[in-house]
Amino acid sequence: PVAELLASAQADMAKDSEVSYLAAEHTLETALVEEPRNTDALGLWMEAIARGRGNQLPAGEIEALVRLGESALERLGRQSSLQVGLASLLLARGTPQDIVRTRILAQSAVVASRPPPPAVPGARSPAEAITAPSPIWGTRARLVLAEAFAAASARLALSLLQEVQDRDP
């Protein structure tokens, strides 16, 4: 099942090594064959590529991956998983414009990961409310955001990394 493939890929990515990112990439490709529109699998796949092989990819290949990520955002919506995946690819490409866009995408994913405010009497019913994304995307977005700010503001990057540590030791 795709849920098991996603869990396996996340476990591989948590190992934070080139080999584990490559394993996650292959696992996520299997998940995407099963469910091509699964935004969590697509976002993690982009992130696994960026972290595992991003600095080794030829310019044309990373450009094609960035276009794929942008297309996915347009077609599937501005899901946190897609924002984090595209932000990771942009960070790997690393132009000054990419760093700015990485910050915007990652910050958007952080904001989207915050829990919704408590229900107000007379407001829409819970069935009509928008469901919050998985908290994992807020954590992953903070990690990408910390990397994007590392060169410009060490204090902010360290603060974001501390938030990541607090959320997922």
Side-chain angles (χ1 to χ4, degrees):
V2 172
E4 289 178 19
L5 293 169
L6 288 170
S8 173
Q10 286 177 349
D12 282 338
M13 290 176 71
K15 295 174 185 172
D16 194 27
S17 71
E18 191 173 322
V19 171
S20 64
Y21 286 120
L22 189 59
E25 181 183 338
H26 293 301
T27 300
L28 292 162
E29 287 168 355
T30 302
L32 287 167
V33 167
E34 295 295 319
E35 271 185 49
R37 297 179 62 85
N38 186 308
T39 56
D40 285 349
L42 185 55
L44 278 173
W45 179 74
M46 289 187 286
E47 187 179 2
I49 291 171
R51 292 189 180 284
R53 303 186 295 131
N55 60 350
Q56 302 164 2
L57 292 173
E61 191 172 336
I62 197 151
E63 181 62 34
L65 288 166
V66 167
R67 282 195 311 270
L68 173 74
E70 290 170 342
S71 174
L73 277 176
E74 283 179 28
R75 289 181 302 106
L76 302 173
R78 297 191 63 79
Q79 303 292 319
S80 296
S81 55
L82 298 176
Q83 290 176 325
V84 171
L86 178 56
S88 298
L89 289 170
L90 292 168
L91 191 60
R93 189 167 66 178
T95 69
Q97 297 86 353
D98 290 338
I99 302 302
V100 169
R101 185 133 184 255
T102 294
R103 291 174 183 168
I104 292 167
L105 287 166
Q107 185 60 44
S108 178
V110 167
V111 169
S113 73
R114 293 187 179 131
V120 177
R124 295 184 299 168
S125 70
E128 297 171 306
I130 298 172
T131 57
S134 166
I136 188 72
W137 293 112
T139 303
R140 300 194 87 76
R142 283 173 176 81
L143 183 58
V144 172
L145 197 55
E147 291 176 83
F149 276 108
S153 174
R155 177 173 281 156
L156 178 57
L158 289 172
S159 170
L160 287 161
L161 288 173
Q162 184 61 51
E163 285 181 40
V164 168
Q165 180 69 30
D166 293 345
R167 291 171 66 96
D168 187 5

PDB file of all heavy atoms in Angstrom, residues 2 6 28-29 31-32 35-49 65 68-73 75-77 79-86 89 137:
ATOM      1  N   VAL A   2       0.336   2.297  -0.576  1.00  0.00           N
ATOM      2  CA  VAL A   2       1.072   3.553  -0.710  1.00  0.00           C
ATOM      3  C   VAL A   2       1.436   4.127   0.656  1.00  0.00           C
ATOM      4  O   VAL A   2       2.535   4.644   0.843  1.00  0.00           O
ATOM      5  CB  VAL A   2       0.274   4.562  -1.565  1.00  0.00           C
ATOM      6  CG1 VAL A   2       0.917   5.929  -1.545  1.00  0.00           C
ATOM      7  CG2 VAL A   2       0.150   4.054  -2.995  1.00  0.00           C
ATOM      8  N   LEU A   6       5.138   5.268   1.744  1.00  0.00           N
ATOM      9  CA  LEU A   6       5.465   6.610   2.247  1.00  0.00           C
ATOM     10  C   LEU A   6       6.175   6.529   3.598  1.00  0.00           C
ATOM     11  O   LEU A   6       7.166   7.227   3.831  1.00  0.00           O
ATOM     12  CB  LEU A   6       4.208   7.467   2.369  1.00  0.00           C
ATOM     13  CG  LEU A   6       3.588   7.946   1.078  1.00  0.00           C
ATOM     14  CD1 LEU A   6       2.228   8.577   1.330  1.00  0.00           C
ATOM     15  CD2 LEU A   6       4.509   8.931   0.384  1.00  0.00           C
ATOM     16  N   LEU A  28       9.570   5.861  -3.429  1.00  0.00           N
ATOM     17  CA  LEU A  28       8.544   6.835  -3.798  1.00  0.00           C
ATOM     18  C   LEU A  28       8.149   6.719  -5.268  1.00  0.00           C
ATOM     19  O   LEU A  28       6.997   6.972  -5.629  1.00  0.00           O
ATOM     20  CB  LEU A  28       9.017   8.248  -3.453  1.00  0.00           C
ATOM     21  CG  LEU A  28       9.110   8.480  -1.946  1.00  0.00           C
ATOM     22  CD1 LEU A  28       9.970   9.684  -1.630  1.00  0.00           C
ATOM     23  CD2 LEU A  28       7.719   8.610  -1.338  1.00  0.00           C
ATOM     24  N   GLU A  29       9.082   6.324  -6.112  1.00  0.00           N
ATOM     25  CA  GLU A  29       8.725   6.076  -7.514  1.00  0.00           C
ATOM     26  C   GLU A  29       7.707   4.941  -7.597  1.00  0.00           C
ATOM     27  O   GLU A  29       6.749   5.010  -8.373  1.00  0.00           O
ATOM     28  CB  GLU A  29       9.975   5.763  -8.335  1.00  0.00           C
ATOM     29  CG  GLU A  29      10.828   6.989  -8.586  1.00  0.00           C
ATOM     30  CD  GLU A  29      12.207   6.686  -9.144  1.00  0.00           C
ATOM     31  OE1 GLU A  29      12.578   5.495  -9.275  1.00  0.00           O
ATOM     32  OE2 GLU A  29      12.919   7.656  -9.444  1.00  0.00           O
ATOM     33  N   ALA A  31       5.563   4.183  -5.241  1.00  0.00           N
ATOM     34  CA  ALA A  31       4.306   4.755  -4.738  1.00  0.00           C
ATOM     35  C   ALA A  31       3.626   5.599  -5.811  1.00  0.00           C
ATOM     36  O   ALA A  31       2.397   5.549  -5.966  1.00  0.00           O
ATOM     37  CB  ALA A  31       4.582   5.597  -3.493  1.00  0.00           C
ATOM     38  N   LEU A  32       4.402   6.344  -6.570  1.00  0.00           N
ATOM     39  CA  LEU A  32       3.830   7.202  -7.607  1.00  0.00           C
ATOM     40  C   LEU A  32       3.284   6.400  -8.781  1.00  0.00           C
ATOM     41  O   LEU A  32       2.341   6.843  -9.443  1.00  0.00           O
ATOM     42  CB  LEU A  32       4.855   8.235  -8.071  1.00  0.00           C
ATOM     43  CG  LEU A  32       5.120   9.340  -7.056  1.00  0.00           C
ATOM     44  CD1 LEU A  32       6.364  10.136  -7.437  1.00  0.00           C
ATOM     45  CD2 LEU A  32       3.899  10.253  -6.935  1.00  0.00           C
ATOM     46  N   GLU A  35      -0.091   5.485  -7.267  1.00  0.00           N
ATOM     47  CA  GLU A  35      -0.965   6.654  -7.095  1.00  0.00           C
ATOM     48  C   GLU A  35      -0.259   7.892  -7.650  1.00  0.00           C
ATOM     49  O   GLU A  35       0.361   8.654  -6.901  1.00  0.00           O
ATOM     50  CB  GLU A  35      -1.265   6.894  -5.613  1.00  0.00           C
ATOM     51  CG  GLU A  35      -2.460   6.180  -5.077  1.00  0.00           C
ATOM     52  CD  GLU A  35      -2.753   6.581  -3.642  1.00  0.00           C
ATOM     53  OE1 GLU A  35      -2.800   7.786  -3.324  1.00  0.00           O
ATOM     54  OE2 GLU A  35      -2.918   5.650  -2.838  1.00  0.00           O
ATOM     55  N   PRO A  36      -0.357   8.135  -8.953  1.00  0.00           N
ATOM     56  CA  PRO A  36       0.385   9.242  -9.574  1.00  0.00           C
ATOM     57  C   PRO A  36       0.010  10.635  -9.050  1.00  0.00           C
ATOM     58  O   PRO A  36       0.810  11.556  -9.153  1.00  0.00           O
ATOM     59  CB  PRO A  36       0.049   9.122 -11.059  1.00  0.00           C
ATOM     60  CG  PRO A  36      -0.640   7.830 -11.240  1.00  0.00           C
ATOM     61  CD  PRO A  36      -1.083   7.333  -9.909  1.00  0.00           C
ATOM     62  N   ARG A  37      -1.170  10.790  -8.497  1.00  0.00           N
ATOM     63  CA  ARG A  37      -1.601  12.108  -8.015  1.00  0.00           C
ATOM     64  C   ARG A  37      -1.431  12.267  -6.495  1.00  0.00           C
ATOM     65  O   ARG A  37      -1.960  13.199  -5.905  1.00  0.00           O
ATOM     66  CB  ARG A  37      -3.043  12.367  -8.420  1.00  0.00           C
ATOM     67  CG  ARG A  37      -3.217  12.420  -9.934  1.00  0.00           C
ATOM     68  CD  ARG A  37      -4.640  12.660 -10.364  1.00  0.00           C
ATOM     69  NE  ARG A  37      -5.183  13.919  -9.928  1.00  0.00           N
ATOM     70  CZ  ARG A  37      -5.041  15.085 -10.565  1.00  0.00           C
ATOM     71  NH1 ARG A  37      -4.354  15.134 -11.677  1.00  0.00           N
ATOM     72  NH2 ARG A  37      -5.587  16.188 -10.088  1.00  0.00           N
ATOM     73  N   ASN A  38      -0.685  11.385  -5.881  1.00  0.00           N
ATOM     74  CA  ASN A  38      -0.454  11.458  -4.439  1.00  0.00           C
ATOM     75  C   ASN A  38       0.564  12.572  -4.172  1.00  0.00           C
ATOM     76  O   ASN A  38       1.756  12.429  -4.457  1.00  0.00           O
ATOM     77  CB  ASN A  38       0.043  10.112  -3.910  1.00  0.00           C
ATOM     78  CG  ASN A  38       0.162  10.096  -2.415  1.00  0.00           C
ATOM     79  OD1 ASN A  38       0.790  10.957  -1.818  1.00  0.00           O
ATOM     80  ND2 ASN A  38      -0.450   9.088  -1.804  1.00  0.00           N
ATOM     81  N   THR A  39       0.078  13.680  -3.624  1.00  0.00           N
ATOM     82  CA  THR A  39       0.946  14.848  -3.439  1.00  0.00           C
ATOM     83  C   THR A  39       2.024  14.614  -2.385  1.00  0.00           C
ATOM     84  O   THR A  39       3.120  15.154  -2.517  1.00  0.00           O
ATOM     85  CB  THR A  39       0.116  16.103  -3.083  1.00  0.00           C
ATOM     86  OG1 THR A  39      -0.679  15.843  -1.920  1.00  0.00           O
ATOM     87  CG2 THR A  39      -0.791  16.499  -4.242  1.00  0.00           C
ATOM     88  N   ASP A  40       1.737  13.815  -1.366  1.00  0.00           N
ATOM     89  CA  ASP A  40       2.767  13.525  -0.365  1.00  0.00           C
ATOM     90  C   ASP A  40       3.911  12.741  -0.998  1.00  0.00           C
ATOM     91  O   ASP A  40       5.086  13.040  -0.763  1.00  0.00           O
ATOM     92  CB  ASP A  40       2.189  12.746   0.811  1.00  0.00           C
ATOM     93  CG  ASP A  40       1.343  13.614   1.740  1.00  0.00           C
ATOM     94  OD1 ASP A  40       1.368  14.854   1.597  1.00  0.00           O
ATOM     95  OD2 ASP A  40       0.656  13.044   2.608  1.00  0.00           O
ATOM     96  N   ALA A  41       3.578  11.746  -1.808  1.00  0.00           N
ATOM     97  CA  ALA A  41       4.624  10.948  -2.469  1.00  0.00           C
ATOM     98  C   ALA A  41       5.429  11.814  -3.434  1.00  0.00           C
ATOM     99  O   ALA A  41       6.662  11.719  -3.479  1.00  0.00           O
ATOM    100  CB  ALA A  41       3.997   9.763  -3.209  1.00  0.00           C
ATOM    101  N   LEU A  42       4.751  12.666  -4.189  1.00  0.00           N
ATOM    102  CA  LEU A  42       5.450  13.515  -5.155  1.00  0.00           C
ATOM    103  C   LEU A  42       6.349  14.524  -4.450  1.00  0.00           C
ATOM    104  O   LEU A  42       7.499  14.733  -4.842  1.00  0.00           O
ATOM    105  CB  LEU A  42       4.447  14.215  -6.072  1.00  0.00           C
ATOM    106  CG  LEU A  42       5.028  15.048  -7.201  1.00  0.00           C
ATOM    107  CD1 LEU A  42       5.988  14.247  -8.073  1.00  0.00           C
ATOM    108  CD2 LEU A  42       3.895  15.637  -8.041  1.00  0.00           C
ATOM    109  N   GLY A  43       5.846  15.141  -3.386  1.00  0.00           N
ATOM    110  CA  GLY A  43       6.659  16.101  -2.639  1.00  0.00           C
ATOM    111  C   GLY A  43       7.883  15.451  -2.013  1.00  0.00           C
ATOM    112  O   GLY A  43       8.999  15.971  -2.102  1.00  0.00           O
ATOM    113  N   LEU A  44       7.687  14.289  -1.391  1.00  0.00           N
ATOM    114  CA  LEU A  44       8.825  13.571  -0.801  1.00  0.00           C
ATOM    115  C   LEU A  44       9.809  13.117  -1.875  1.00  0.00           C
ATOM    116  O   LEU A  44      11.021  13.140  -1.655  1.00  0.00           O
ATOM    117  CB  LEU A  44       8.338  12.349  -0.013  1.00  0.00           C
ATOM    118  CG  LEU A  44       7.834  12.594   1.394  1.00  0.00           C
ATOM    119  CD1 LEU A  44       7.234  11.315   1.980  1.00  0.00           C
ATOM    120  CD2 LEU A  44       8.935  13.121   2.294  1.00  0.00           C
ATOM    121  N   TRP A  45       9.297  12.700  -3.032  1.00  0.00           N
ATOM    122  CA  TRP A  45      10.167  12.261  -4.128  1.00  0.00           C
ATOM    123  C   TRP A  45      11.068  13.410  -4.580  1.00  0.00           C
ATOM    124  O   TRP A  45      12.277  13.233  -4.726  1.00  0.00           O
ATOM    125  CB  TRP A  45       9.300  11.739  -5.278  1.00  0.00           C
ATOM    126  CG  TRP A  45      10.055  11.289  -6.478  1.00  0.00           C
ATOM    127  CD1 TRP A  45      10.794  10.145  -6.621  1.00  0.00           C
ATOM    128  CD2 TRP A  45      10.160  11.975  -7.728  1.00  0.00           C
ATOM    129  NE1 TRP A  45      11.334  10.074  -7.885  1.00  0.00           N
ATOM    130  CE2 TRP A  45      10.961  11.191  -8.586  1.00  0.00           C
ATOM    131  CE3 TRP A  45       9.639  13.171  -8.208  1.00  0.00           C
ATOM    132  CZ2 TRP A  45      11.260  11.575  -9.884  1.00  0.00           C
ATOM    133  CZ3 TRP A  45       9.931  13.556  -9.509  1.00  0.00           C
ATOM    134  CH2 TRP A  45      10.738  12.755 -10.336  1.00  0.00           C
ATOM    135  N   MET A  46      10.474  14.601  -4.762  1.00  0.00           N
ATOM    136  CA  MET A  46      11.284  15.762  -5.166  1.00  0.00           C
ATOM    137  C   MET A  46      12.319  16.089  -4.101  1.00  0.00           C
ATOM    138  O   MET A  46      13.477  16.373  -4.407  1.00  0.00           O
ATOM    139  CB  MET A  46      10.393  16.980  -5.451  1.00  0.00           C
ATOM    140  CG  MET A  46       9.569  16.850  -6.711  1.00  0.00           C
ATOM    141  SD  MET A  46       8.663  18.373  -7.142  1.00  0.00           S
ATOM    142  CE  MET A  46       7.347  18.357  -5.925  1.00  0.00           C
ATOM    143  N   GLU A  47      11.911  16.023  -2.838  1.00  0.00           N
ATOM    144  CA  GLU A  47      12.834  16.322  -1.747  1.00  0.00           C
ATOM    145  C   GLU A  47      13.954  15.284  -1.672  1.00  0.00           C
ATOM    146  O   GLU A  47      15.124  15.628  -1.463  1.00  0.00           O
ATOM    147  CB  GLU A  47      12.080  16.393  -0.420  1.00  0.00           C
ATOM    148  CG  GLU A  47      12.945  16.861   0.717  1.00  0.00           C
ATOM    149  CD  GLU A  47      12.212  16.960   2.035  1.00  0.00           C
ATOM    150  OE1 GLU A  47      11.017  16.625   2.118  1.00  0.00           O
ATOM    151  OE2 GLU A  47      12.875  17.379   3.014  1.00  0.00           O
ATOM    152  N   ALA A  48      13.615  14.012  -1.863  1.00  0.00           N
ATOM    153  CA  ALA A  48      14.634  12.956  -1.824  1.00  0.00           C
ATOM    154  C   ALA A  48      15.665  13.155  -2.930  1.00  0.00           C
ATOM    155  O   ALA A  48      16.870  12.998  -2.706  1.00  0.00           O
ATOM    156  CB  ALA A  48      13.980  11.580  -1.951  1.00  0.00           C
ATOM    157  N   ILE A  49      15.209  13.519  -4.115  1.00  0.00           N
ATOM    158  CA  ILE A  49      16.137  13.779  -5.220  1.00  0.00           C
ATOM    159  C   ILE A  49      17.028  14.969  -4.881  1.00  0.00           C
ATOM    160  O   ILE A  49      18.251  14.919  -5.055  1.00  0.00           O
ATOM    161  CB  ILE A  49      15.375  14.021  -6.537  1.00  0.00           C
ATOM    162  CG1 ILE A  49      14.729  12.727  -7.011  1.00  0.00           C
ATOM    163  CG2 ILE A  49      16.318  14.578  -7.614  1.00  0.00           C
ATOM    164  CD1 ILE A  49      13.784  12.903  -8.181  1.00  0.00           C
ATOM    165  N   LEU A  65      13.134  18.966 -13.458  1.00  0.00           N
ATOM    166  CA  LEU A  65      12.481  18.631 -12.189  1.00  0.00           C
ATOM    167  C   LEU A  65      11.778  19.852 -11.590  1.00  0.00           C
ATOM    168  O   LEU A  65      10.686  19.735 -11.037  1.00  0.00           O
ATOM    169  CB  LEU A  65      13.500  18.058 -11.203  1.00  0.00           C
ATOM    170  CG  LEU A  65      13.979  16.646 -11.521  1.00  0.00           C
ATOM    171  CD1 LEU A  65      15.230  16.308 -10.709  1.00  0.00           C
ATOM    172  CD2 LEU A  65      12.874  15.633 -11.258  1.00  0.00           C
ATOM    173  N   LEU A  68       8.634  20.312 -13.435  1.00  0.00           N
ATOM    174  CA  LEU A  68       7.677  19.316 -12.973  1.00  0.00           C
ATOM    175  C   LEU A  68       7.032  19.765 -11.660  1.00  0.00           C
ATOM    176  O   LEU A  68       5.812  19.679 -11.487  1.00  0.00           O
ATOM    177  CB  LEU A  68       8.357  17.961 -12.789  1.00  0.00           C
ATOM    178  CG  LEU A  68       7.487  16.877 -12.155  1.00  0.00           C
ATOM    179  CD1 LEU A  68       6.463  16.365 -13.158  1.00  0.00           C
ATOM    180  CD2 LEU A  68       8.347  15.742 -11.645  1.00  0.00           C
ATOM    181  N   GLY A  69       7.843  20.241 -10.727  1.00  0.00           N
ATOM    182  CA  GLY A  69       7.316  20.723  -9.448  1.00  0.00           C
ATOM    183  C   GLY A  69       6.377  21.897  -9.618  1.00  0.00           C
ATOM    184  O   GLY A  69       5.320  21.963  -8.985  1.00  0.00           O
ATOM    185  N   GLU A  70       6.735  22.828 -10.492  1.00  0.00           N
ATOM    186  CA  GLU A  70       5.863  23.985 -10.742  1.00  0.00           C
ATOM    187  C   GLU A  70       4.554  23.547 -11.380  1.00  0.00           C
ATOM    188  O   GLU A  70       3.479  24.039 -11.021  1.00  0.00           O
ATOM    189  CB  GLU A  70       6.592  24.998 -11.623  1.00  0.00           C
ATOM    190  CG  GLU A  70       7.722  25.691 -10.894  1.00  0.00           C
ATOM    191  CD  GLU A  70       8.630  26.518 -11.790  1.00  0.00           C
ATOM    192  OE1 GLU A  70       8.616  26.314 -13.038  1.00  0.00           O
ATOM    193  OE2 GLU A  70       9.357  27.364 -11.243  1.00  0.00           O
ATOM    194  N   SER A  71       4.644  22.603 -12.299  1.00  0.00           N
ATOM    195  CA  SER A  71       3.441  22.074 -12.944  1.00  0.00           C
ATOM    196  C   SER A  71       2.545  21.371 -11.926  1.00  0.00           C
ATOM    197  O   SER A  71       1.317  21.517 -11.955  1.00  0.00           O
ATOM    198  CB  SER A  71       3.848  21.111 -14.059  1.00  0.00           C
ATOM    199  OG  SER A  71       2.726  20.490 -14.612  1.00  0.00           O
ATOM    200  N   ALA A  72       3.137  20.615 -11.035  1.00  0.00           N
ATOM    201  CA  ALA A  72       2.360  19.917 -10.011  1.00  0.00           C
ATOM    202  C   ALA A  72       1.638  20.912  -9.108  1.00  0.00           C
ATOM    203  O   ALA A  72       0.472  20.692  -8.746  1.00  0.00           O
ATOM    204  CB  ALA A  72       3.267  19.011  -9.188  1.00  0.00           C
ATOM    205  N   LEU A  73       2.301  22.006  -8.763  1.00  0.00           N
ATOM    206  CA  LEU A  73       1.643  23.037  -7.945  1.00  0.00           C
ATOM    207  C   LEU A  73       0.428  23.607  -8.665  1.00  0.00           C
ATOM    208  O   LEU A  73      -0.602  23.863  -8.048  1.00  0.00           O
ATOM    209  CB  LEU A  73       2.619  24.172  -7.612  1.00  0.00           C
ATOM    210  CG  LEU A  73       3.545  23.970  -6.433  1.00  0.00           C
ATOM    211  CD1 LEU A  73       4.500  25.154  -6.304  1.00  0.00           C
ATOM    212  CD2 LEU A  73       2.777  23.784  -5.144  1.00  0.00           C
ATOM    213  N   ARG A  75      -1.356  22.095 -11.169  1.00  0.00           N
ATOM    214  CA  ARG A  75      -2.371  21.082 -11.439  1.00  0.00           C
ATOM    215  C   ARG A  75      -3.009  20.511 -10.179  1.00  0.00           C
ATOM    216  O   ARG A  75      -4.210  20.239 -10.157  1.00  0.00           O
ATOM    217  CB  ARG A  75      -1.777  19.924 -12.248  1.00  0.00           C
ATOM    218  CG  ARG A  75      -1.447  20.254 -13.674  1.00  0.00           C
ATOM    219  CD  ARG A  75      -0.886  19.061 -14.456  1.00  0.00           C
ATOM    220  NE  ARG A  75       0.324  18.495 -13.858  1.00  0.00           N
ATOM    221  CZ  ARG A  75       0.376  17.349 -13.195  1.00  0.00           C
ATOM    222  NH1 ARG A  75      -0.689  16.613 -13.048  1.00  0.00           N
ATOM    223  NH2 ARG A  75       1.512  16.905 -12.688  1.00  0.00           N
ATOM    224  N   LEU A  76      -2.222  20.305  -9.152  1.00  0.00           N
ATOM    225  CA  LEU A  76      -2.705  19.606  -7.961  1.00  0.00           C
ATOM    226  C   LEU A  76      -2.980  20.532  -6.780  1.00  0.00           C
ATOM    227  O   LEU A  76      -3.434  20.081  -5.736  1.00  0.00           O
ATOM    228  CB  LEU A  76      -1.696  18.528  -7.547  1.00  0.00           C
ATOM    229  CG  LEU A  76      -1.398  17.471  -8.622  1.00  0.00           C
ATOM    230  CD1 LEU A  76      -0.261  16.557  -8.180  1.00  0.00           C
ATOM    231  CD2 LEU A  76      -2.643  16.674  -8.964  1.00  0.00           C
ATOM    232  N   GLY A  77      -2.669  21.805  -6.930  1.00  0.00           N
ATOM    233  CA  GLY A  77      -2.913  22.767  -5.859  1.00  0.00           C
ATOM    234  C   GLY A  77      -1.663  23.034  -5.033  1.00  0.00           C
ATOM    235  O   GLY A  77      -0.689  22.293  -5.084  1.00  0.00           O
ATOM    236  N   GLN A  79      -0.341  22.417  -2.318  1.00  0.00           N
ATOM    237  CA  GLN A  79      -0.211  21.525  -1.170  1.00  0.00           C
ATOM    238  C   GLN A  79       1.156  21.735  -0.513  1.00  0.00           C
ATOM    239  O   GLN A  79       2.158  21.936  -1.190  1.00  0.00           O
ATOM    240  CB  GLN A  79      -0.338  20.072  -1.616  1.00  0.00           C
ATOM    241  CG  GLN A  79      -1.625  19.755  -2.346  1.00  0.00           C
ATOM    242  CD  GLN A  79      -2.818  19.836  -1.429  1.00  0.00           C
ATOM    243  OE1 GLN A  79      -2.758  19.401  -0.276  1.00  0.00           O
ATOM    244  NE2 GLN A  79      -3.899  20.401  -1.920  1.00  0.00           N
ATOM    245  N   SER A  80       1.192  21.645   0.802  1.00  0.00           N
ATOM    246  CA  SER A  80       2.452  21.818   1.535  1.00  0.00           C
ATOM    247  C   SER A  80       3.524  20.856   1.049  1.00  0.00           C
ATOM    248  O   SER A  80       4.685  21.220   0.907  1.00  0.00           O
ATOM    249  CB  SER A  80       2.229  21.629   3.039  1.00  0.00           C
ATOM    250  OG  SER A  80       1.384  22.631   3.535  1.00  0.00           O
ATOM    251  N   SER A  81       3.132  19.625   0.770  1.00  0.00           N
ATOM    252  CA  SER A  81       4.100  18.631   0.314  1.00  0.00           C
ATOM    253  C   SER A  81       4.753  19.052  -0.994  1.00  0.00           C
ATOM    254  O   SER A  81       5.967  18.907  -1.169  1.00  0.00           O
ATOM    255  CB  SER A  81       3.413  17.278   0.136  1.00  0.00           C
ATOM    256  OG  SER A  81       2.296  17.401  -0.734  1.00  0.00           O
ATOM    257  N   LEU A  82       3.980  19.591  -1.910  1.00  0.00           N
ATOM    258  CA  LEU A  82       4.523  20.038  -3.194  1.00  0.00           C
ATOM    259  C   LEU A  82       5.384  21.286  -3.025  1.00  0.00           C
ATOM    260  O   LEU A  82       6.409  21.433  -3.690  1.00  0.00           O
ATOM    261  CB  LEU A  82       3.392  20.292  -4.192  1.00  0.00           C
ATOM    262  CG  LEU A  82       2.536  19.077  -4.538  1.00  0.00           C
ATOM    263  CD1 LEU A  82       1.398  19.478  -5.461  1.00  0.00           C
ATOM    264  CD2 LEU A  82       3.379  17.968  -5.144  1.00  0.00           C
ATOM    265  N   GLN A  83       4.974  22.175  -2.128  1.00  0.00           N
ATOM    266  CA  GLN A  83       5.767  23.375  -1.870  1.00  0.00           C
ATOM    267  C   GLN A  83       7.133  23.006  -1.294  1.00  0.00           C
ATOM    268  O   GLN A  83       8.155  23.554  -1.712  1.00  0.00           O
ATOM    269  CB  GLN A  83       5.019  24.314  -0.922  1.00  0.00           C
ATOM    270  CG  GLN A  83       3.805  24.952  -1.569  1.00  0.00           C
ATOM    271  CD  GLN A  83       3.006  25.796  -0.599  1.00  0.00           C
ATOM    272  OE1 GLN A  83       2.899  25.481   0.589  1.00  0.00           O
ATOM    273  NE2 GLN A  83       2.449  26.875  -1.099  1.00  0.00           N
ATOM    274  N   VAL A  84       7.160  22.071  -0.362  1.00  0.00           N
ATOM    275  CA  VAL A  84       8.421  21.648   0.245  1.00  0.00           C
ATOM    276  C   VAL A  84       9.297  20.933  -0.788  1.00  0.00           C
ATOM    277  O   VAL A  84      10.504  21.172  -0.869  1.00  0.00           O
ATOM    278  CB  VAL A  84       8.178  20.761   1.485  1.00  0.00           C
ATOM    279  CG1 VAL A  84       9.469  20.130   1.982  1.00  0.00           C
ATOM    280  CG2 VAL A  84       7.517  21.569   2.596  1.00  0.00           C
ATOM    281  N   GLY A  85       8.696  20.071  -1.592  1.00  0.00           N
ATOM    282  CA  GLY A  85       9.459  19.370  -2.626  1.00  0.00           C
ATOM    283  C   GLY A  85      10.076  20.324  -3.631  1.00  0.00           C
ATOM    284  O   GLY A  85      11.274  20.236  -3.939  1.00  0.00           O
ATOM    285  N   LEU A  86       9.277  21.260  -4.137  1.00  0.00           N
ATOM    286  CA  LEU A  86       9.795  22.240  -5.098  1.00  0.00           C
ATOM    287  C   LEU A  86      10.833  23.138  -4.434  1.00  0.00           C
ATOM    288  O   LEU A  86      11.877  23.431  -5.024  1.00  0.00           O
ATOM    289  CB  LEU A  86       8.656  23.076  -5.689  1.00  0.00           C
ATOM    290  CG  LEU A  86       9.062  24.171  -6.665  1.00  0.00           C
ATOM    291  CD1 LEU A  86       9.883  23.630  -7.833  1.00  0.00           C
ATOM    292  CD2 LEU A  86       7.831  24.924  -7.170  1.00  0.00           C
ATOM    293  N   LEU A  89      14.129  21.396  -4.384  1.00  0.00           N
ATOM    294  CA  LEU A  89      14.780  21.410  -5.708  1.00  0.00           C
ATOM    295  C   LEU A  89      15.386  22.774  -6.005  1.00  0.00           C
ATOM    296  O   LEU A  89      16.506  22.869  -6.523  1.00  0.00           O
ATOM    297  CB  LEU A  89      13.779  21.020  -6.793  1.00  0.00           C
ATOM    298  CG  LEU A  89      13.339  19.564  -6.817  1.00  0.00           C
ATOM    299  CD1 LEU A  89      12.175  19.375  -7.788  1.00  0.00           C
ATOM    300  CD2 LEU A  89      14.500  18.654  -7.181  1.00  0.00           C
ATOM    301  N   TRP A 137       4.767  18.102   7.337  1.00  0.00           N
ATOM    302  CA  TRP A 137       5.142  19.099   6.328  1.00  0.00           C
ATOM    303  C   TRP A 137       5.580  20.404   6.966  1.00  0.00           C
ATOM    304  O   TRP A 137       6.446  21.096   6.435  1.00  0.00           O
ATOM    305  CB  TRP A 137       4.025  19.290   5.310  1.00  0.00           C
ATOM    306  CG  TRP A 137       3.883  18.027   4.523  1.00  0.00           C
ATOM    307  CD1 TRP A 137       2.839  17.149   4.544  1.00  0.00           C
ATOM    308  CD2 TRP A 137       4.869  17.452   3.668  1.00  0.00           C
ATOM    309  NE1 TRP A 137       3.112  16.074   3.751  1.00  0.00           N
ATOM    310  CE2 TRP A 137       4.351  16.221   3.191  1.00  0.00           C
ATOM    311  CE3 TRP A 137       6.133  17.841   3.247  1.00  0.00           C
ATOM    312  CZ2 TRP A 137       5.056  15.408   2.316  1.00  0.00           C
ATOM    313  CZ3 TRP A 137       6.832  17.024   2.382  1.00  0.00           C
ATOM    314  CH2 TRP A 137       6.299  15.823   1.926  1.00  0.00           C
TER     315      TRP A 137
END
